[in-house]
Amino acid sequence: MDRRGFLKKIVKLFLLFVSLVIVPVFFYIYPSTIRQKKLFFLYLSDEDSLPKSGLKRFDYQYSIDDRTITGYVFIKKDGDELIAFSPICTHLGCLVKWDNHRKEFICACHGGKYDINGNVIAGPPQKPLDRLPWEIKEGKVYIGIRQYGQDI
């Protein structure tokens, strides 16, 4: 075998290695870029229980693939506007809590803080809290949740 043939085989083996090892690692590390979460609207509460002003936490629960998933969202009433905030910190995905005395969302994991509008005021988060889609149908409030998997 000559030198050129040997180098071609080495390059082919390297490319095979990259495709068999590096590519699956990439798919494992960045799954959200490969598969998209589906948006589901879940019943949250009756329209009567929405806050008249300020902020209120709403808990929810649903089942998918023989699992029960629980969570919560925050809904803020500001004048005529309703805003639904995800409780997931935009830094590393920890859950934020509302501190009523300080009037801010606090992420206990890494010290992230958000104001009542979900904007970052301190800590490592770079983006504000995500706003969730919502709708009211026949007096019932539904919140949009993104979830992997089958239909709920």
Side-chain angles (χ1 to χ4, degrees), residues 66-152:
D66 298 328
R67 295 178 298 145
T68 299
I69 298 172
T70 59
Y72 59 92
V73 298
F74 295 100
I75 296 188
K76 177 190 168 212
K77 173 90 171 185
D78 190 12
D80 291 337
E81 183 182 26
L82 280 174
I83 303 169
F85 294 107
S86 168
I88 299 172
C89 180
T90 57
H91 175 233
L92 290 176
C94 301
L95 294 175
V96 299
K97 303 285 184 194
W98 174 250
D99 186 327
N100 204 28
H101 297 292
R102 296 182 182 169
K103 301 293 186 207
E104 59 191 21
F105 294 102
I106 298 176
C107 178
C109 296
H110 303 104
K113 295 181 181 180
Y114 304 85
D115 66 13
I116 194 166
N117 296 312
N119 299 314
V120 178
I121 55 175
Q126 299 295 312
K127 298 185 319 184
L129 290 175
D130 290 332
R131 293 183 178 202
L132 301 174
W134 59 272
E135 59 186 24
I136 298 176
K137 289 184 180 176
E138 299 176 6
K140 298 189 182 300
V141 180
Y142 295 88
I143 195 77
I145 303 291
R146 294 207 176 271
Q147 175 70 46
Y148 294 120
Q150 302 170 355
D151 292 341
I152 296 175

Coordinates of all heavy atoms in Angstrom, one line a residue, residues 66-152:
D66 N -48.6 7.3 31.4 CA -48.7 6.6 32.8 C -47.9 7.4 33.8 O -47.4 6.8 34.8 CB -48.2 5.2 32.7 CG -49.1 4.3 31.8 OD1 -50.3 4.6 31.7 OD2 -48.6 3.4 31.2
R67 N -47.6 8.7 33.6 CA -46.9 9.5 34.6 C -47.9 10.7 35.0 O -48.6 11.2 34.1 CB -45.6 10.1 34.0 CG -44.6 9.1 33.7 CD -43.4 9.8 33.1 NE -43.7 10.4 31.9 CZ -43.2 11.6 31.5 NH1 -42.3 12.2 32.2 NH2 -43.6 12.1 30.3
T68 N -47.8 11.1 36.2 CA -48.5 12.2 36.6 C -47.5 13.4 36.8 O -46.5 13.3 37.4 CB -49.2 12.0 38.0 OG1 -50.2 10.9 37.8 CG2 -50.0 13.2 38.4
I69 N -47.8 14.5 36.1 CA -46.9 15.6 36.1 C -47.6 16.8 36.8 O -48.8 17.1 36.5 CB -46.6 16.0 34.6 CG1 -45.8 14.9 34.0 CG2 -45.8 17.3 34.6 CD1 -45.6 15.0 32.5
T70 N -46.9 17.4 37.7 CA -47.5 18.5 38.5 C -46.6 19.7 38.2 O -45.4 19.6 37.9 CB -47.5 18.2 40.0 OG1 -46.2 18.0 40.4 CG2 -48.4 17.1 40.3
G71 N -47.2 20.9 38.3 CA -46.4 22.1 38.1 C -47.3 23.3 38.5 O -48.3 23.1 39.1
Y72 N -46.7 24.4 38.3 CA -47.5 25.7 38.6 C -47.1 26.8 37.7 O -46.0 26.7 37.0 CB -47.3 26.1 40.1 CG -45.8 26.3 40.5 CD1 -45.3 27.6 40.4 CD2 -45.0 25.3 41.0 CE1 -44.0 27.8 40.8 CE2 -43.7 25.5 41.4 CZ -43.2 26.8 41.3 OH -41.9 27.0 41.7
V73 N -47.9 27.8 37.6 CA -47.6 29.0 36.8 C -48.1 30.2 37.7 O -48.8 30.1 38.6 CB -48.4 29.0 35.5 CG1 -48.0 27.9 34.6 CG2 -49.9 29.0 35.7
F74 N -47.6 31.3 37.3 CA -47.9 32.6 37.9 C -48.7 33.4 36.9 O -48.4 33.5 35.8 CB -46.7 33.4 38.4 CG -45.9 32.7 39.4 CD1 -44.8 32.0 39.1 CD2 -46.3 32.8 40.8 CE1 -44.0 31.4 40.1 CE2 -45.6 32.2 41.8 CZ -44.4 31.5 41.4
I75 N -49.9 34.0 37.4 CA -50.6 34.8 36.5 C -50.7 36.2 37.2 O -51.0 36.3 38.4 CB -52.0 34.3 36.3 CG1 -51.9 33.0 35.5 CG2 -52.9 35.3 35.5 CD1 -53.2 32.4 35.0
K76 N -50.4 37.2 36.4 CA -50.4 38.6 36.9 C -51.5 39.4 36.2 O -51.6 39.3 34.9 CB -49.0 39.2 36.6 CG -48.9 40.7 37.0 CD -47.6 41.3 36.4 CE -47.7 42.8 36.6 NZ -47.0 43.5 35.5
K77 N -52.2 40.1 36.9 CA -53.2 41.0 36.4 C -52.7 42.4 36.5 O -52.3 42.9 37.6 CB -54.5 40.9 37.1 CG -55.6 41.8 36.8 CD -56.4 41.4 35.7 CE -57.6 42.3 35.5 NZ -58.6 41.9 34.6
D78 N -52.6 43.1 35.4 CA -52.1 44.5 35.4 C -53.0 45.3 34.6 O -53.0 45.3 33.3 CB -50.7 44.6 34.8 CG -50.0 45.9 35.0 OD1 -50.6 46.8 35.8 OD2 -48.9 46.2 34.4
G79 N -54.0 46.0 35.2 CA -55.0 46.7 34.5 C -55.9 45.7 33.8 O -56.5 44.9 34.5
D80 N -56.0 45.8 32.5 CA -56.9 44.9 31.7 C -56.0 43.7 31.2 O -56.6 42.8 30.6 CB -57.5 45.6 30.6 CG -58.6 46.5 31.0 OD1 -59.1 46.4 32.2 OD2 -58.9 47.5 30.3
E81 N -54.7 43.7 31.4 CA -53.8 42.7 30.8 C -53.6 41.6 31.8 O -53.3 41.8 33.0 CB -52.5 43.4 30.5 CG -51.5 42.5 29.8 CD -50.2 43.1 29.5 OE1 -49.8 44.1 30.1 OE2 -49.6 42.7 28.5
L82 N -53.6 40.3 31.3 CA -53.3 39.2 32.1 C -52.0 38.6 31.4 O -51.9 38.5 30.2 CB -54.3 38.1 32.0 CG -55.5 38.2 32.9 CD1 -56.6 37.2 32.6 CD2 -55.1 38.1 34.4
I83 N -51.0 38.3 32.3 CA -49.8 37.7 31.8 C -49.5 36.4 32.6 O -49.6 36.4 33.8 CB -48.6 38.6 32.0 CG1 -48.8 40.0 31.3 CG2 -47.3 38.0 31.5 CD1 -47.9 41.0 31.7
A84 N -49.2 35.3 31.9 CA -48.9 34.0 32.6 C -47.4 33.8 32.4 O -46.8 33.9 31.4 CB -49.6 32.9 31.9
F85 N -46.7 33.6 33.6 CA -45.3 33.4 33.6 C -45.0 32.0 34.0 O -45.6 31.3 34.8 CB -44.6 34.3 34.7 CG -44.7 35.7 34.5 CD1 -45.6 36.5 35.2 CD2 -43.9 36.3 33.5 CE1 -45.6 37.9 35.0 CE2 -44.0 37.7 33.3 CZ -44.8 38.5 34.1
S86 N -44.0 31.4 33.3 CA -43.4 30.1 33.6 C -42.6 30.3 34.9 O -41.9 31.3 35.0 CB -42.5 29.6 32.5 OG -41.8 28.5 32.9
P87 N -42.6 29.3 35.8 CA -41.8 29.3 37.0 C -40.4 28.8 36.8 O -39.7 28.7 37.7 CB -42.6 28.4 37.9 CG -43.1 27.4 37.1 CD -43.5 28.1 35.8
I88 N -40.0 28.6 35.5 CA -38.7 28.0 35.3 C -37.7 29.1 35.0 O -37.8 29.9 34.1 CB -38.8 27.0 34.1 CG1 -39.8 25.9 34.4 CG2 -37.4 26.5 33.7 CD1 -40.1 25.0 33.2
C89 N -36.6 29.1 35.9 CA -35.6 30.1 35.8 C -34.9 29.9 34.4 O -34.6 28.8 34.0 CB -34.6 29.9 36.9 SG -33.2 31.1 36.9
T90 N -34.6 31.0 33.7 CA -34.0 31.0 32.4 C -32.5 30.7 32.5 O -31.9 30.6 31.4 CB -34.3 32.3 31.6 OG1 -33.8 33.4 32.4 CG2 -35.8 32.4 31.4
H91 N -31.9 30.6 33.7 CA -30.5 30.4 33.8 C -30.2 28.9 33.6 O -29.6 28.5 32.6 CB -30.0 30.8 35.2 CG -28.6 30.5 35.5 ND1 -28.2 29.9 36.6 CD2 -27.4 30.7 34.7 CE1 -26.9 29.7 36.6 NE2 -26.4 30.2 35.4
L92 N -30.7 28.1 34.5 CA -30.4 26.6 34.4 C -31.7 25.8 34.6 O -31.6 24.6 34.8 CB -29.3 26.2 35.4 CG -27.9 26.7 35.1 CD1 -26.9 26.2 36.2 CD2 -27.5 26.1 33.7
G93 N -32.8 26.4 34.7 CA -34.1 25.6 34.7 C -34.6 25.2 36.1 O -35.4 24.4 36.2
C94 N -34.1 25.9 37.1 CA -34.6 25.7 38.5 C -36.0 26.4 38.6 O -36.3 27.2 37.7 CB -33.7 26.3 39.5 SG -32.0 25.5 39.5
L95 N -36.7 26.1 39.6 CA -38.0 26.7 39.8 C -37.9 27.9 40.6 O -37.2 28.0 41.7 CB -39.0 25.7 40.4 CG -39.4 24.5 39.6 CD1 -40.2 23.6 40.4 CD2 -40.0 24.9 38.3
V96 N -38.6 29.0 40.2 CA -38.6 30.2 41.0 C -39.8 30.3 41.9 O -40.8 29.6 41.6 CB -38.6 31.5 40.1 CG1 -37.3 31.5 39.2 CG2 -39.8 31.6 39.2
K97 N -39.7 31.0 43.0 CA -40.8 31.3 43.9 C -41.0 32.7 44.0 O -40.1 33.6 43.8 CB -40.4 30.7 45.3 CG -40.0 29.3 45.4 CD -41.2 28.4 45.2 CE -40.7 26.9 45.4 NZ -41.7 26.0 45.0
W98 N -42.2 33.1 44.3 CA -42.6 34.5 44.5 C -42.4 34.9 45.9 O -42.9 34.3 46.8 CB -44.0 34.8 44.1 CG -44.5 36.2 44.3 CD1 -45.4 36.5 45.3 CD2 -44.0 37.4 43.7 NE1 -45.6 37.9 45.2 CE2 -44.7 38.4 44.3 CE3 -43.2 37.6 42.7 CZ2 -44.6 39.7 43.9 CZ3 -43.0 38.9 42.3 CH2 -43.7 40.0 42.9
D99 N -41.6 35.9 46.2 CA -41.4 36.5 47.5 C -42.3 37.7 47.6 O -42.0 38.8 47.1 CB -39.9 36.8 47.7 CG -39.6 37.3 49.2 OD1 -40.5 37.9 49.8 OD2 -38.5 37.0 49.7
N100 N -43.3 37.6 48.4 CA -44.3 38.7 48.5 C -43.8 39.9 49.3 O -44.2 41.0 49.0 CB -45.6 38.1 49.2 CG -46.8 39.0 48.8 OD1 -46.9 39.5 47.7 ND2 -47.8 39.0 49.7
H101 N -42.8 39.6 50.2 CA -42.3 40.8 51.0 C -41.4 41.6 50.1 O -41.4 42.8 50.2 CB -41.5 40.2 52.2 CG -42.4 39.5 53.2 ND1 -43.4 40.1 53.9 CD2 -42.5 38.2 53.5 CE1 -44.0 39.3 54.6 NE2 -43.5 38.1 54.4
R102 N -40.6 40.9 49.3 CA -39.6 41.7 48.4 C -40.2 42.1 47.1 O -39.7 42.8 46.3 CB -38.4 40.8 48.1 CG -37.6 40.6 49.3 CD -36.3 39.8 49.0 NE -35.6 39.4 50.2 CZ -34.6 38.6 50.2 NH1 -34.2 38.0 49.1 NH2 -33.9 38.4 51.3
K103 N -41.4 41.5 46.8 CA -42.1 41.7 45.5 C -41.2 41.3 44.3 O -41.0 42.1 43.3 CB -42.6 43.2 45.4 CG -43.5 43.6 46.5 CD -44.8 42.9 46.4 CE -45.8 43.5 47.4 NZ -46.8 42.6 47.9
E104 N -40.6 40.1 44.4 CA -39.8 39.6 43.3 C -39.8 38.1 43.2 O -40.1 37.4 44.2 CB -38.4 40.1 43.4 CG -37.7 39.8 44.7 CD -36.4 40.6 44.9 OE1 -36.2 41.6 44.2 OE2 -35.5 40.1 45.6
F105 N -39.5 37.5 42.0 CA -39.4 36.1 41.9 C -37.9 35.8 42.3 O -37.0 36.5 41.9 CB -39.6 35.7 40.4 CG -41.0 35.9 40.0 CD1 -41.3 36.9 39.2 CD2 -42.0 34.9 40.3 CE1 -42.6 37.1 38.7 CE2 -43.3 35.1 39.8 CZ -43.6 36.2 39.0
I106 N -37.7 34.7 43.0 CA -36.4 34.4 43.5 C -36.1 32.9 43.1 O -36.9 32.0 43.3 CB -36.2 34.5 45.0 CG1 -36.4 36.0 45.3 CG2 -34.8 34.0 45.5 CD1 -36.4 36.3 46.8
C107 N -34.9 32.7 42.5 CA -34.4 31.4 42.2 C -33.4 31.0 43.2 O -32.3 31.6 43.3 CB -33.8 31.3 40.8 SG -33.1 29.7 40.4
A108 N -33.7 30.1 44.1 CA -32.8 29.7 45.2 C -31.5 29.0 44.7 O -30.6 29.0 45.5 CB -33.6 28.9 46.2
C109 N -31.6 28.4 43.5 CA -30.4 27.6 43.1 C -29.1 28.5 42.9 O -28.1 28.1 43.4 CB -30.7 26.9 41.8 SG -32.0 25.7 41.9
H110 N -29.3 29.6 42.2 CA -28.1 30.4 41.8 C -28.3 31.9 42.1 O -27.5 32.7 41.6 CB -27.7 30.2 40.4 CG -27.4 28.7 40.1 ND1 -28.3 27.9 39.4 CD2 -26.4 27.9 40.5 CE1 -27.8 26.7 39.4 NE2 -26.7 26.7 40.0
G111 N -29.3 32.2 42.8 CA -29.5 33.6 43.2 C -30.1 34.5 42.2 O -30.0 35.7 42.3
G112 N -30.8 34.0 41.2 CA -31.4 34.8 40.2 C -32.7 35.5 40.8 O -33.4 34.9 41.6
K113 N -32.9 36.7 40.3 CA -34.0 37.5 40.8 C -34.7 38.1 39.6 O -34.0 38.6 38.7 CB -33.6 38.5 41.8 CG -33.1 38.0 43.1 CD -32.7 39.1 44.1 CE -32.2 38.5 45.3 NZ -31.8 39.5 46.3
Y114 N -36.0 38.2 39.6 CA -36.8 38.8 38.6 C -37.9 39.7 39.2 O -38.4 39.4 40.3 CB -37.6 37.7 37.8 CG -36.7 36.6 37.2 CD1 -36.4 35.5 37.9 CD2 -36.3 36.7 35.9 CE1 -35.6 34.5 37.3 CE2 -35.6 35.7 35.3 CZ -35.2 34.6 36.0 OH -34.4 33.6 35.5
D115 N -38.2 40.8 38.6 CA -39.2 41.7 39.1 C -40.6 41.1 38.8 O -40.8 40.0 38.2 CB -39.1 43.1 38.6 CG -39.3 43.2 37.1 OD1 -39.8 42.3 36.4 OD2 -39.0 44.3 36.5
I116 N -41.7 41.8 39.2 CA -43.0 41.3 39.0 C -43.4 41.1 37.5 O -44.4 40.4 37.2 CB -44.1 42.2 39.8 CG1 -45.4 41.5 39.9 CG2 -44.2 43.6 39.1 CD1 -46.4 42.1 40.8
N117 N -42.7 41.8 36.6 CA -42.9 41.6 35.2 C -42.1 40.5 34.6 O -42.1 40.4 33.3 CB -42.7 43.0 34.5 CG -43.6 44.0 35.0 OD1 -44.8 43.8 35.0 ND2 -43.1 45.2 35.3
G118 N -41.3 39.8 35.4 CA -40.5 38.7 34.9 C -39.1 39.1 34.4 O -38.4 38.3 33.8
N119 N -38.8 40.4 34.5 CA -37.5 40.9 34.0 C -36.4 40.6 35.0 O -36.6 40.7 36.2 CB -37.5 42.4 33.7 CG -38.6 42.7 32.7 OD1 -38.6 42.1 31.6 ND2 -39.4 43.7 32.9
V120 N -35.2 40.3 34.5 CA -34.1 40.0 35.4 C -33.6 41.3 36.1 O -33.4 42.3 35.5 CB -32.9 39.4 34.6 CG1 -31.7 39.2 35.5 CG2 -33.3 38.2 33.8
I121 N -33.5 41.1 37.5 CA -32.9 42.3 38.2 C -31.6 41.9 39.0 O -30.9 42.8 39.4 CB -34.0 42.8 39.2 CG1 -34.5 41.7 40.1 CG2 -35.1 43.5 38.5 CD1 -35.4 42.1 41.2
A122 N -31.3 40.6 39.1 CA -30.0 40.2 39.7 C -29.7 38.8 39.4 O -30.6 38.0 39.0 CB -30.1 40.4 41.2
G123 N -28.4 38.4 39.5 CA -28.0 37.1 39.4 C -27.6 36.7 38.0 O -27.5 37.6 37.1
P124 N -27.4 35.4 37.8 CA -26.9 35.0 36.5 C -27.8 34.9 35.3 O -27.4 34.9 34.2 CB -26.3 33.6 36.8 CG -27.0 33.1 38.0 CD -27.4 34.4 38.7
P125 N -29.2 34.9 35.5 CA -30.0 34.8 34.3 C -29.8 35.9 33.3 O -29.7 37.1 33.7 CB -31.5 34.8 34.9 CG -31.3 34.4 36.3 CD -30.0 34.9 36.7
Q126 N -29.8 35.6 32.0 CA -29.7 36.6 31.0 C -31.0 37.0 30.4 O -31.1 38.0 29.7 CB -28.7 36.1 29.9 CG -27.3 35.8 30.4 CD -26.6 37.0 30.9 OE1 -26.6 38.0 30.2 NE2 -26.0 36.9 32.1
K127 N -32.0 36.1 30.5 CA -33.3 36.4 29.8 C -34.4 36.5 30.9 O -34.3 35.9 31.9 CB -33.6 35.2 28.9 CG -32.6 35.1 27.7 CD -33.0 34.0 26.7 CE -33.6 32.8 27.3 NZ -33.9 31.7 26.4
P128 N -35.5 37.2 30.6 CA -36.6 37.3 31.5 C -37.3 35.9 31.6 O -37.1 35.0 30.7 CB -37.5 38.3 30.9 CG -37.1 38.4 29.5 CD -35.7 38.0 29.4
L129 N -38.2 35.8 32.6 CA -39.1 34.6 32.6 C -39.9 34.5 31.4 O -40.3 35.5 30.8 CB -40.0 34.7 33.9 CG -39.3 34.6 35.2 CD1 -40.4 34.8 36.3 CD2 -38.7 33.2 35.4
D130 N -40.1 33.2 31.0 CA -40.9 33.0 29.8 C -42.4 33.3 30.1 O -42.9 33.0 31.1 CB -40.8 31.5 29.3 CG -39.4 31.2 28.7 OD1 -38.8 32.2 28.2 OD2 -39.0 30.1 28.8
R131 N -43.0 33.9 29.1 CA -44.5 34.1 29.2 C -45.2 33.0 28.5 O -44.8 32.6 27.4 CB -44.8 35.5 28.5 CG -44.3 36.6 29.3 CD -44.6 38.0 28.8 NE -44.1 39.0 29.6 CZ -44.6 40.2 29.6 NH1 -45.6 40.6 28.9 NH2 -44.1 41.1 30.4
L132 N -46.2 32.5 29.1 CA -46.9 31.3 28.5 C -48.2 31.8 27.8 O -48.9 32.7 28.3 CB -47.3 30.4 29.7 CG -46.1 29.8 30.5 CD1 -46.6 29.0 31.6 CD2 -45.2 29.0 29.6
P133 N -48.5 31.1 26.8 CA -49.8 31.4 26.1 C -51.0 30.9 27.0 O -50.8 29.9 27.7 CB -49.8 30.6 24.8 CG -48.8 29.5 25.0 CD -47.8 30.0 26.1
W134 N -52.1 31.6 26.9 CA -53.3 31.2 27.7 C -54.5 31.6 26.9 O -54.4 32.4 26.0 CB -53.3 31.9 29.1 CG -53.2 33.4 29.0 CD1 -52.1 34.2 29.0 CD2 -54.4 34.2 29.0 NE1 -52.5 35.5 28.9 CE2 -53.9 35.5 28.9 CE3 -55.7 34.0 29.0 CZ2 -54.7 36.7 28.8 CZ3 -56.6 35.1 28.9 CH2 -56.1 36.4 28.8
E135 N -55.6 31.0 27.3 CA -56.9 31.4 26.7 C -58.0 31.1 27.7 O -57.9 30.3 28.6 CB -57.1 30.6 25.4 CG -57.1 29.1 25.5 CD -57.1 28.4 24.2 OE1 -56.7 29.0 23.1 OE2 -57.5 27.2 24.2
I136 N -59.1 31.8 27.4 CA -60.3 31.6 28.2 C -61.4 31.1 27.3 O -61.7 31.8 26.3 CB -60.7 32.9 29.0 CG1 -59.6 33.3 29.9 CG2 -62.0 32.7 29.7 CD1 -59.9 34.6 30.6
K137 N -62.0 30.0 27.6 CA -63.1 29.4 26.8 C -64.2 29.1 27.8 O -64.0 28.3 28.7 CB -62.6 28.2 26.1 CG -61.7 28.4 24.9 CD -61.4 27.1 24.2 CE -60.5 27.3 23.1 NZ -60.1 26.0 22.4
E138 N -65.4 29.6 27.6 CA -66.6 29.3 28.3 C -66.3 29.4 29.8 O -66.7 28.6 30.6 CB -67.1 27.9 28.0 CG -67.5 27.8 26.5 CD -67.9 26.4 26.1 OE1 -68.0 25.5 27.0 OE2 -68.1 26.1 24.9
G139 N -65.6 30.5 30.2 CA -65.4 30.8 31.6 C -64.3 29.9 32.3 O -64.1 30.0 33.5
K140 N -63.5 29.2 31.5 CA -62.5 28.3 32.0 C -61.1 28.8 31.4 O -61.0 29.1 30.3 CB -62.7 26.9 31.7 CG -64.0 26.3 32.3 CD -64.1 24.8 32.1 CE -65.3 24.3 32.7 NZ -65.5 24.5 34.1
V141 N -60.1 28.9 32.3 CA -58.8 29.3 31.9 C -57.9 28.1 31.5 O -57.8 27.2 32.3 CB -58.1 30.1 33.0 CG1 -56.7 30.6 32.6 CG2 -59.0 31.3 33.5
Y142 N -57.3 28.2 30.4 CA -56.4 27.2 29.9 C -55.0 27.8 29.7 O -54.9 28.9 29.2 CB -56.9 26.6 28.6 CG -58.2 25.8 28.7 CD1 -59.4 26.5 28.6 CD2 -58.2 24.5 29.0 CE1 -60.6 25.9 28.7 CE2 -59.4 23.8 29.1 CZ -60.6 24.5 29.0 OH -61.8 23.9 29.1
I143 N -54.0 27.0 30.1 CA -52.6 27.5 30.0 C -51.8 26.6 29.0 O -52.0 25.4 28.9 CB -51.9 27.5 31.4 CG1 -50.7 28.4 31.3 CG2 -51.7 26.2 31.9 CD1 -50.9 29.8 31.4
G144 N -51.0 27.2 28.2 CA -50.2 26.5 27.2 C -48.9 26.0 27.8 O -48.1 26.8 28.3
I145 N -48.8 24.7 27.8 CA -47.6 24.0 28.4 C -46.9 23.2 27.2 O -47.6 22.6 26.5 CB -48.0 23.0 29.5 CG1 -48.7 23.7 30.6 CG2 -46.7 22.3 30.0 CD1 -47.9 24.7 31.4
R146 N -45.6 23.3 27.1 CA -44.8 22.6 26.1 C -44.4 21.3 26.8 O -43.8 21.3 27.9 CB -43.7 23.4 25.6 CG -44.1 24.6 24.8 CD -43.1 25.0 23.8 NE -43.6 26.1 23.0 CZ -44.3 26.0 21.9 NH1 -44.6 24.8 21.5 NH2 -44.8 27.0 21.3
Q147 N -44.6 20.2 26.1 CA -44.3 18.8 26.6 C -43.8 17.9 25.5 O -44.4 17.9 24.4 CB -45.5 18.3 27.3 CG -45.4 16.9 27.8 CD -44.5 16.8 29.0 OE1 -44.6 17.6 29.9 NE2 -43.6 15.8 29.0
Y148 N -42.8 17.1 25.8 CA -42.4 16.0 24.9 C -43.4 14.9 25.0 O -44.0 14.8 26.1 CB -41.0 15.5 25.2 CG -39.9 16.4 25.0 CD1 -39.1 16.8 26.0 CD2 -39.6 16.9 23.7 CE1 -38.0 17.6 25.9 CE2 -38.6 17.8 23.5 CZ -37.8 18.1 24.6 OH -36.7 18.9 24.4
G149 N -43.6 14.1 24.0 CA -44.4 12.9 24.2 C -45.7 13.0 23.4 O -45.9 13.8 22.5
Q150 N -46.6 12.1 23.8 CA -47.8 11.9 23.0 C -48.8 12.9 23.5 O -48.6 13.6 24.5 CB -48.3 10.5 23.3 CG -47.4 9.4 22.9 CD -47.8 8.0 23.3 OE1 -48.8 7.9 24.0 NE2 -47.0 7.0 22.9
D151 N -50.0 12.9 22.8 CA -51.0 13.8 23.1 C -51.6 13.5 24.5 O -51.6 12.4 25.0 CB -52.2 13.7 22.1 CG -51.8 14.2 20.8 OD1 -50.8 15.0 20.7 OD2 -52.4 13.9 19.8
I152 N -52.0 14.6 25.2 CA -52.5 14.5 26.5 C -54.0 14.2 26.4 O -54.7 14.8 25.7 CB -52.3 15.8 27.3 CG1 -50.8 15.9 27.5 CG2 -53.0 15.7 28.7 CD1 -50.4 17.2 28.2

